[in-house]
Structure formats: structure tokens, C-alpha cells
Amino acid sequence: MWNLKNMTDIEYKHLFEWRENSLKKRKRLFQVHPNMLFNCSVDEDKIYFCPTFGYQDTKLLAVESAGKTLPDPDYYVKRNGCYYYILEFVLSGKGYLYSDGQYYTLEKNNAYLLRPNSDHIYFSDQNDPYEKIWFNFYCGSIEPFLQTLQNDRTVFKNVSCADKFLELYNMLLECNTRDYGKDYGQIYSPSNYNGIYLNVVKTLFDILFCLTNDNIEQTPQSIEHTLKNILDSSIYQKINLQDIARSLLVTQQTLNYKFKKAYGITPYQYYSDLKIEESKKLLLSGLYSLDNISEKLCFPDAFYFSNVFKQKTGMRPSAFVKAHGKPATNLN
């Protein structure tokens, strides 16, 4: 019917349509809510931790649920958007994935990461259904972390950190066995770094490093270089160094020290310099007022921006524009 090794997008599309229709005919698909269809084995091991709603904006890690999917030829999941990240690792067998316009064949030692609000479908191969470990979680600091690793991939082939996935799964399974999962705050309270929370966070970030290294063959970046990449890509955003330090599993003091040692200035000074350099381009374009520029670059107000600009350049924004032969009439 299909050449499963080298399928075209059209062949993938037909396979996905056939699988959904065949499950519907056999009444094996269930509508969990308007945005989700699924069929999964009653033998699937599931671990529940926190509610689906209420944690999607958290900066720290919050595990919604985790589990192990046992081989089931009728396993099928279809979501039109979801509130959390989905990280899965294939232990054996084969499956298929559609995510945001792309089709993938999944095999042993493949992993995939689905972002919040993504549309996706995944299901097992009927002849060789996969067994996989999965984690559903919230974490506001994950995306900037992935950006610094230049990691926008969905599927990762030939992953070498199977032991880390199993370690994370067993860690969460132990929590659930101890009934910690009934009290989200017991494990995942930001102040409870003496418990299992820190180990869960560290293992997850180890996995993300591993996925990136395996697929683009680069070594993990130092935390100061990671911070520099975050700052470089966040000129038009408001950032919090304490949140970034927490996501990198160091104190803000350590992050400041390592950054200044590597680059000669503090992260705040570096970030401020970036914004002032960008503001020069905006000023000379003649398209923006001081209020517009201060808002775009996340300064508290135009007065504060003007003072910082003078401190960095020795002149007010209007004087800078005039010095470059441009009219300053649009700055008001």
C-alpha cells in the first residue's frame, strides 16, 4: 500500500487519513474535548502531577503528567493545540508524526518535542507499534533556552541519552509511588530545592542539551555564552536575569560574575548597550518618536530612555539625530 521507508507528503497524507478513518469506523476514537481525539491502551502507564490549567504561564518547570505508552497497534493522538510542551522518546517499534505541516516516521531512539499551541497527530505503526516514554510539562524558561541552542527542531534522530529519559521517568514514577503527585507544592515549590525538584529540572535540561548536541554536533555552551545569546536575541523584549539564572540552574550572582569575567562588563551593561545601539538605528530612521522607541525597547518611559542614551553616548537623542544631519522634528 505505502512505501513506508521513503514516503512522499501525499503518501503520508493518505496514510494519516486512512488511519483516522479506519479507527472511526471501528469506533476506536474518543473525543476527549473539542480539540483532541485519541485512542490509547488501557495498559498505558500514566503519572499525574498538576492540573491541566493554571500552570501554563509558570517560569519554572511544572510537570502536568508523564507516562509510558506500551505497544498498541491502535494507539492514536490528535490535538489542535495544547497548553504544554510534549517530550517523547521511542524505546522500540515504529510510529508516525504530523506537526505543523511536516510529516515524520518515528523509530527506536528517536525523540520529539512538540511546542505549546502546535497542531499535531501521532500514532503507532500497526505491524510494529512503538513503546515510548512521554512527558507533558509547562516551563516559561524553556523557549529562550532552546533559542540559545538554536534548537527549533521537532524530531531528533539517533538520540544518545536514552538513560536520561529513563532516569527522568523513574524519578517521576517514584514521586507518584510516594503519593507526592497528590500535592504539587511538595515537589515543585520553587523554594523546595532540597527535594526532587532540582533533579527533575537538571535531568530535563540535560536531555535538551543532549538532543541539540546529537543533532547539530556542537558542545554545550558555557552559561555566560548562553546568556549572551539570550540578550542578543531579546533586544525588543523585557527580560529578567533572575529567571534566566534559575533556568540555567545557577544563582544570579554566579551568572553576573561569569558573564563579567568573560566579557568585561555586567549583563545589565551589555544589554543596555545593545538597546542603545538599536535605538540609534530607530532614531536615524525618522519613523519613531521617543515614546515609540522607549516602548519598543522596553524602557520605562521616554525620559528614562533619554537619560540612559545620554549616559551611554554623551548626548541627548535629539542632539544625536541632528549631529547626523537628520531633522529631529519627529521625536516629539
Side-chain angles (χ1 to χ4, degrees):
M1 186 179 297
W2 292 283
N3 177 6
L4 297 179
K5 289 187 177 180
N6 298 292
M7 286 194 292
T8 65
D9 282 354
I10 295 297
E11 289 172 324
Y12 268 120
K13 185 173 184 292
H14 289 163
L15 172 62
F16 276 65
E17 289 174 348
W18 172 81
R19 172 53 67 87
E20 181 172 333
N21 290 334
S22 66
L23 288 171
K24 283 181 177 178
K25 286 180 181 179
R26 290 187 289 129
K27 298 182 179 180
R28 295 298 304 275
L29 282 185
F30 302 93
Q31 188 93 38
V32 182
H33 53 72
N35 293 329
M36 181 176 178
L37 278 173
F38 89 109
N39 177 59
C40 53
S41 170
V42 293
D43 296 326
E44 186 175 46
D45 296 327
K46 295 182 180 179
I47 310 167
Y48 291 104
F49 284 97
C50 67
T52 301
F53 302 100
Y55 291 98
Q56 49 264 45
D57 295 325
T58 184
K59 296 293 183 185
L60 298 178
L61 175 66
V63 178
E64 189 267 347
S65 57
K68 180 185 289 185
T69 301
L70 305 179
D72 177 359
D74 287 336
Y75 178 86
Y76 182 97
V77 174
K78 179 180 182 178
R79 294 187 187 88
N80 295 322
C82 64
Y83 295 100
Y84 38 73
Y85 289 90
I86 299 170
L87 177 64
E88 308 207 346
F89 177 75
V90 179
L91 296 167
S92 63
K94 184 184 293 185
Y96 305 95
L97 167 69
Y98 170 85
S99 177
D100 291 332
Q102 296 291 321
Y103 294 96
Y104 307 90
T105 296
L106 305 169
E107 298 176 308
K108 181 180 178 179
N109 290 333
N110 289 177
Y112 52 98
L113 178 67
L114 305 175
R115 264 76 167 181
N117 303 314
S118 65
D119 295 336
H120 48 260
I121 304 169
Y122 48 93
F123 55 85
S124 62
D125 183 82
Q126 284 198 312
N127 297 320
D128 187 15
Y130 55 20
E131 180 179 9
K132 60 185 177 66
I133 297 172
W134 53 269
F135 310 97
N136 298 341
F137 62 92
Y138 313 106
C139 188
S141 58
I142 283 286
E143 203 57 43
F145 179 78
L146 292 173
Q147 289 173 9
T148 65
L149 298 177
Q150 299 179 342
N151 188 340
D152 59 356
R153 289 169 171 76
T154 298
V155 173
F156 306 86
K157 303 287 187 178
N158 303 316
V159 173
S160 65
C161 53
D163 58 326
K164 290 293 182 182
F165 280 92
L166 291 169
E167 180 183 345
L168 181 57
Y169 174 73
N170 289 328
M171 205 180 298
L172 295 173
L173 185 62
E174 182 181 357
C175 293
N176 192 252
T177 302
R178 294 179 179 178
D179 287 333
Y180 287 159
K182 294 179 181 178
D183 184 356
Y184 172 86
Q186 274 188 270
I187 310 172
Y188 298 105
S189 171
S191 61
N192 188 20
Y193 286 103
N194 293 323
I196 200 170
Y197 176 83
L198 184 57
N199 288 330
V200 171
V201 173
K202 182 180 183 304
T203 304
L204 176 62
F205 276 78
D206 284 346
I207 288 172
L208 295 174
F209 267 127
C210 172
L211 296 182
T212 300
N213 296 337
D214 284 347
N215 283 262
I216 62 176
E217 299 182 349
Q218 69 176 38
T219 56
Q221 297 175 343
S222 63
I223 60 172
E224 58 268 24
H225 188 57
T226 296
L227 174 58
K228 181 177 180 296
N229 283 343
I230 293 175
L231 298 178
D232 288 341
S233 62
S234 305
I235 296 175
Y236 287 96
Q237 301 172 23
K238 184 180 291 185
I239 64 167
N240 186 304
L241 287 176
Q242 188 173 8
D243 288 341
I244 295 173
R246 191 178 289 126
S247 74
L248 295 174
L249 304 180
V250 296
T251 64
Q252 186 175 345
Q253 290 80 1
T254 297
L255 191 60
N256 287 339
Y257 172 78
K258 286 183 173 291
F259 190 93
K260 186 172 183 179
K261 184 176 180 180
Y263 300 107
I265 58 175
T266 67
Y268 175 80
Q269 290 170 328
Y270 179 81
Y271 191 49
S272 182
D273 288 346
L274 284 178
K275 287 182 176 286
I276 293 303
E277 288 302 310
E278 187 68 14
S279 73
K280 291 178 182 179
K281 300 175 186 177
L282 299 177
L283 286 166
L284 295 179
S285 73
L287 300 175
Y288 305 98
S289 67
L290 291 183
D291 286 334
N292 295 150
I293 294 172
S294 63
E295 183 178 357
K296 284 177 69 67
L297 295 174
C298 299
F299 286 97
D301 52 49
F303 180 75
Y304 185 90
F305 161 66
S306 184
N307 284 340
V308 174
F309 190 93
K310 184 178 181 182
Q311 180 185 357
K312 295 287 185 181
T313 66
M315 60 181 73
R316 295 284 180 185
S318 57
F320 172 81
V321 171
K322 291 178 181 177
H324 284 77
K326 301 282 187 177
T329 54
N330 292 337
L331 297 182
N332 298 323

